Amino acid sequence: MTIRNVTHAANVRLSDDGKKVIIIDQTALPNRVVHLELDELQPCYDAIRLLQVRGAPAIGIFAGYAMYVLAAHYPELSYDRFCEKFHADKEYLNSSRPTAVNLSWALNRMEKVVLDHKDLAVPEIVSLLKKEAITIHEEDIAMCTAISEHGLSLLKDGDGILTHCNAGPLATSRYGTAIGPVLLGRERGMNFHVFADETRPLLQGARLTSYELSSAGVDVTLICDNMASIVMKNGWVNAVFVGCDRIAANGDTANKIGTSGVAILAKHYGIPFYTLGPSSTIDMNTPTGDDIRIELRDPEEIKKMWYKEPMAPEDVKCYNPAFDVTDHSLIAGIITEKGIVRPPFDINLKKLFAE
Ligand code: MRU
């Protein structure tokens, strides 16, 4: 079973009656297309924590809808009690994953609606929350489309592109960020060749990126993470396009573990390395990559998950960081919906927000 037109799929949406947030369970792909309907706090927290919904922008969109759906459960509360409950739910969801800034960004935006409207009746605030969640989603569609256009301007027909993890439509709203230019170009009849890193240990590249690209008719070759060097050395890669989870004010960028290694390789082979993401992923309150909190995950993901039998001694020590930080000096450009930001990033990111 496949998702029809994955480039435009509604991977996160509100149910028709507005009572549930519906997601495509990304942990079941590519083998099964499973939709989850969520309306309680704990399953919403688990959906983020377990990567049923994942990818920085998709987590933000999901958080917006989840806060609306949860708030619609208690419209009869007094304003003060409503604020308290809303804040507690928000803080709990925010604790599910620490690295992608889009989660706290969307949650803060939803809470601002509550705090800015103390003069309204609670049910009216709930209606405004629905509107805000839909706006976050619509803005992401517009941002991803614009990012894809800007990214496409850097490519020519026939180019080879290497990507790491998954920053496609499943991780966002439409098109995606890192593979958005490829999918947009494909819709316009252009042909690219994409090398998709499998992305150990959770295999987002194998399970999701190669699925999205092949469903959209893009020429994609899946490689293990440790094969990036040879395909670059062979001259098959013209550019590296990756997504991002948090960009610090100096341009240092957190993305899926392994991304910094790809950037170091790209530098060695003289291949431009681009980070693509919406401005909601740029965190001007985080000065450098050293200030980004890196999520540590369960060692079982390395030792057992995906295998019929354990692939490591039961008690072996594991280190399982979910992200790493690519130094800004390795990045040729940060492609946002507002345009392509070039170094020096500390100056040019400030300018981007001043405009
Ligand atoms: O742990 P994940 O799968 O949520 O990590 C996702 C990534 O690192 C993506 O590259 C990033 O969120 C950008 S998605 C457009």
Side-chain angles (χ1 to χ4, degrees):
M1 191 178 172
T2 53
I3 300 170
R4 203 153 31 93
N5 196 356
V6 70
T7 304
H8 297 262
N11 55 329
V12 181
R13 68 179 175 90
L14 210 52
S15 61
D16 292 343
D17 64 6
K19 293 194 169 151
K20 291 183 174 154
V21 51
I22 303 180
I23 57 171
I24 294 175
D25 179 356
Q26 296 192 42
T27 61
L29 290 170
N31 300 312
R32 292 175 308 282
V33 181
V34 176
H35 289 90
L36 301 177
E37 300 194 359
L38 309 168
D39 62 354
E40 297 290 341
L41 181 61
Q42 191 58 46
C44 286
Y45 173 97
D46 291 342
I48 302 174
R49 180 81 205 135
L50 301 174
L51 313 196
Q52 289 169 328
V53 59
R54 54 146 297 285
I59 293 173
I61 297 164
F62 174 77
Y65 284 136
M67 287 312 298
Y68 158 66
V69 164
L70 296 172
H73 286 174
Y74 42 85
E76 72 292 348
L77 294 182
S78 68
Y79 177 76
D80 288 347
R81 274 291 298 132
F82 181 82
C83 282
E84 254 173 53
K85 176 95 180 78
F86 191 91
H87 186 72
D89 287 357
K90 174 203 153 194
E91 288 300 299
Y92 187 57
L93 279 191
N94 199 30
S95 67
S96 56
R97 295 191 79 190
T99 305
V101 71
N102 307 59
L103 177 59
S104 56
W105 170 85
L107 291 171
N108 288 335
R109 215 170 129 167
M110 295 298 283
E111 189 166 51
K112 187 166 183 318
V113 171
V114 176
L115 299 177
D116 284 354
H117 293 93
K118 7 174 136 24
D119 49 322
L120 293 186
V122 169
E124 289 177 78
I125 298 176
V126 173
S127 301
L128 290 181
L129 286 169
K130 179 179 184 183
K131 221 167 131 203
E132 186 71 358
I134 292 170
T135 304
I136 290 174
H137 194 172
E138 286 174 349
E139 284 176 7
D140 193 74
I141 293 172
M143 288 193 287
C144 286
T145 310
I147 289 166
S148 303
E149 287 284 3
H150 293 305
L152 187 56
S153 72
L154 296 169
L155 298 176
K156 54 183 191 330
D157 208 18
D159 270 352
I161 296 125
L162 185 135
T163 191
H164 189 79
C165 192
N166 171 259
L170 290 164
T172 61
S173 50
R174 299 277 193 284
Y175 294 104
T177 54
I179 63 168
V182 170
L183 292 171
L184 187 66
R186 182 73 205 119
E187 282 184 350
R188 294 178 182 168
M190 296 173 79
N191 290 300
F192 303 110
H193 189 94
V194 179
F195 291 93
D197 285 356
E198 64 170 351
T199 320
R200 286 278 296 149
L202 293 181
L203 307 179
Q204 291 92 330
R207 294 185 299 107
L208 306 171
T209 305
S210 66
Y211 172 81
E212 288 171 333
L213 291 170
S214 51
S215 312
V218 174
D219 183 8
V220 55
T221 302
L222 179 64
I223 57 172
C224 298
D225 294 351
N226 52 7
M227 299 169 189
S229 177
I230 193 167
V231 298
M232 288 185 186
K233 187 171 196 300
N234 287 351
W236 296 340
V237 179
N238 300 93
V240 176
F241 277 13
V242 295
C244 45
D245 286 82
R246 191 182 294 248
I247 300 177
N250 71 343
D252 289 350
T253 297
N255 191 49
K256 177 52 52 194
I257 190 72
T259 303
S260 68
V262 173
I264 292 164
L265 286 175
K267 172 117 182 161
H268 178 78
Y269 291 111
I271 298 166
F273 176 99
Y274 293 99
T275 290
L276 296 90
S279 54
S280 52
T281 309
I282 302 171
D283 181 4
M284 296 303 279
N285 296 321
T286 295
T288 74
D290 291 342
D291 306 297
I292 298 175
R293 195 172 140 214
I294 300 293
E295 175 185 5
L296 291 177
R297 294 185 63 89
D298 191 338
E300 301 303 288
E301 292 178 347
I302 299 179
K303 292 192 284 184
K304 290 191 181 154
M305 224 169 152
W306 318 116
Y307 298 112
K308 278 199 181 131
E309 290 183 273
M311 278 297 127
E314 176 83 43
D315 51 359
V316 71
K317 227 183 339 161
C318 289
Y319 174 52
N320 187 13
F323 301 94
D324 60 20
V325 172
T326 299
D327 194 86
H328 60 274
S329 62
L330 300 169
I331 301 173
I334 297 174
I335 305 175
T336 75
E337 76 281 7
K338 298 171 196 247
I340 303 172
V341 185
R342 299 281 183 181
F345 295 117
D346 51 351
I347 294 169
N348 291 339
L349 286 176
K350 256 193 214 133
K351 275 195 199 151
L352 185 81
F353 284 100
E355 274 160 17

